Amino acid sequence: MKSGNSIPLLGLGVYDMYHQEAELAVLNALAIGYRLIDTASMYENEVQIGNALQQTTIPRSEIYLTTKLNNTDHGYDQALRAFDESLEKLQQDYVDLYLIHWPIKEGRKESWKALEKIYESGRAKAIGVANYTLPFLKELESYANMAPTLNQIEFTPWLFQKEVLNYCQQNNIQLQSYSPITRGQKFNDPRLIALCEKYQKTPAQIILNWNIQLGVSTIPKSSKKERLQENFDAQNFSLDAQDVELMNTFNEGFRICDDPAIFL
Ligand SMILES: NC(=O)c1ccc[n+]([C@@H]2O[C@H](COP(=O)([O-])OP(=O)(O)OC[C@H]3O[C@@H](n4cnc5c(N)ncnc54)[C@H](OP(=O)(O)O)[C@@H]3O)[C@@H](O)[C@H]2O)c1
């Protein structure tokens, strides 16, 4: 069984933005046309995201809101409690998607059972996971009554996790990429610069379009209005199939965040 409504292919990640900055970024993003907001208990800005959602005139039903279970809140009862706290901070009756943030060894199974319970209550329209590479996905399959709707992983041309992409496609799990533009760290790759020249697009736009062409939902973070617009406009063109294929060969195992294998 699967849960949830359709997920936008491009949204706003709100890691590392706080107070007014977070509120304003969400309002600016919504005004530009973003309809997916990705936060987490760990980001300590659920209150500000909630404030922005209270202020916007865009109907709640048009916005796809994700939050995540913190690493310190694993276990059945703790996860149920943590979800209630997130909803309260977000000032919401429901979220569109609730994710396990990291596959913490102690408690991830019990936490998934709690997420299934939360889904049944209707207060999360969909449930899913983050940082679940193949061993974690296969383990989850062995005890889950519900399959995850989405798996959010670090996924870029320089960390092209083809086996996770294939597994998710085969099992009808939406893949979503985090740190999609490598926080700018690969913008000087000459192969990327050549594509920027060919399409007259920015490095961020080329990388984000690569995600979209692969059917991978992506959540770049920016708190700057011009960059929010730039990133959103990545949806307005199409890379040729051969250039998508070319970018698939950039893989070099480059990571921004921890390798989830530390939790095996
Ligand atoms: N599940 C997980 O474990 C996990 C882990 C990491 C991230 N995430 C999620 O993924 C989201 C995105 O990942 P991320 O924040 O790590 O990295 P990212 O989106 O790859 O990069 C964000 C950084 O790039 C800058 N930036 C944004 N647009 C730009 C552009 N067009 N040109 C140049 N620089 C630009 C931003 O600065 P400014 O804000 O100053 O523009 C920020 O410093 C997070 O916000 C979070 O929601 C999830």
Side-chain angles (χ1 to χ4, degrees):
M1 193 166 79
K2 281 278 162 27
S3 55
N5 300 324
S6 68
I7 299 156
L9 278 183
L10 193 135
L12 174 68
V14 299
Y15 169 67
D16 199 27
M17 48 171 96
Y18 304 95
H19 312 295
Q20 275 295 109
E21 183 193 15
E23 233 171 276
L24 197 60
V26 172
L27 287 170
N28 283 333
L30 290 171
I32 287 168
Y34 286 78
R35 291 294 180 267
L36 160 60
I37 310 293
D38 178 87
T39 186
S41 165
M42 196 187 284
Y43 304 164
E44 297 185 342
N45 58 16
E46 288 176 309
V47 169
Q48 287 70 36
I49 307 311
N51 291 345
L53 294 178
Q54 295 297 327
Q55 288 168 56
T56 182
T57 53
I58 294 159
R60 173 66 183 87
S61 58
E62 290 180 19
I63 301 168
Y64 197 97
L65 176 63
T66 303
T67 194
K68 312 185 192 84
L69 177 73
N70 206 346
N71 296 347
T72 48
D73 290 324
H74 274 269
Y76 189 81
D77 291 335
Q78 294 95 309
L80 293 178
R81 247 193 325 268
F83 179 74
D84 287 344
E85 282 169 20
S86 281
L87 270 195
E88 198 179 323
K89 287 183 179 159
L90 289 162
Q91 305 149 63
Q92 299 293 311
D93 299 329
Y94 71 94
V95 294
D96 294 275
L97 180 63
Y98 194 48
L99 300 178
I100 290 183
H101 205 148
W102 285 91
I104 302 297
K105 195 166 190 149
E106 303 307 322
R108 63 182 177 242
K109 178 176 178 182
E110 294 72 24
S111 297
W112 184 255
K113 293 291 161 193
L115 263 63
E116 289 179 339
K117 178 85 179 161
I118 290 165
Y119 170 74
E120 282 163 20
S121 77
R123 293 174 309 145
K125 303 285 179 204
I127 54 174
V129 291
N131 295 298
Y132 272 50
T133 46
L134 281 197
F136 301 111
L137 288 166
K138 286 184 177 158
E139 182 200 77
L140 180 64
E141 208 179 79
S142 73
Y143 58 70
N145 292 323
M146 279 186 70
T149 289
L150 179 142
N151 183 21
Q152 181 182 109
I153 61 168
E154 185 170 351
F155 182 86
T156 69
W158 300 271
L159 184 65
F160 183 51
Q161 303 197 58
K162 195 171 190 329
E163 67 298 345
V164 185
L165 176 64
N166 288 345
Y167 179 94
C168 288
Q169 283 171 341
Q170 282 156 18
N171 290 278
N172 193 25
I173 299 167
Q174 175 65 52
L175 193 69
Q176 187 169 62
S177 61
Y178 75 66
S179 306
I181 56 171
T182 69
R183 299 183 184 163
Q185 291 187 38
K186 288 289 175 185
F187 283 8
N188 288 330
D189 186 319
R191 298 164 299 179
L192 178 64
I193 292 170
L195 290 169
C196 293
E197 282 162 9
K198 175 174 173 183
Y199 290 92
Q200 291 295 297
K201 298 290 176 189
T202 67
Q205 289 172 330
I206 297 286
I207 304 169
L208 295 172
N209 192 268
W210 172 80
N211 280 268
I212 292 164
Q213 299 304 323
L214 290 173
V216 174
S217 173
T218 186
I219 45 169
K221 175 264 173 183
S222 181
S223 38
K224 298 193 170 66
K225 211 170 171 178
E226 327 74 67
R227 286 179 174 173
L228 285 169
Q229 185 71 58
E230 175 189 333
N231 296 346
F232 194 71
D233 288 345
Q235 298 170 104
N236 297 345
F237 75 106
S238 294
L239 289 167
D240 297 339
Q242 78 215 36
D243 290 326
V244 173
E245 282 296 324
L246 175 70
M247 291 176 77
N248 293 351
T249 67
F250 290 5
N251 186 35
E252 57 186 38
F254 171 83
R255 283 181 191 278
I256 297 285
C257 294
D258 283 337
D259 185 341
I262 57 175
F263 297 115
L264 280 173

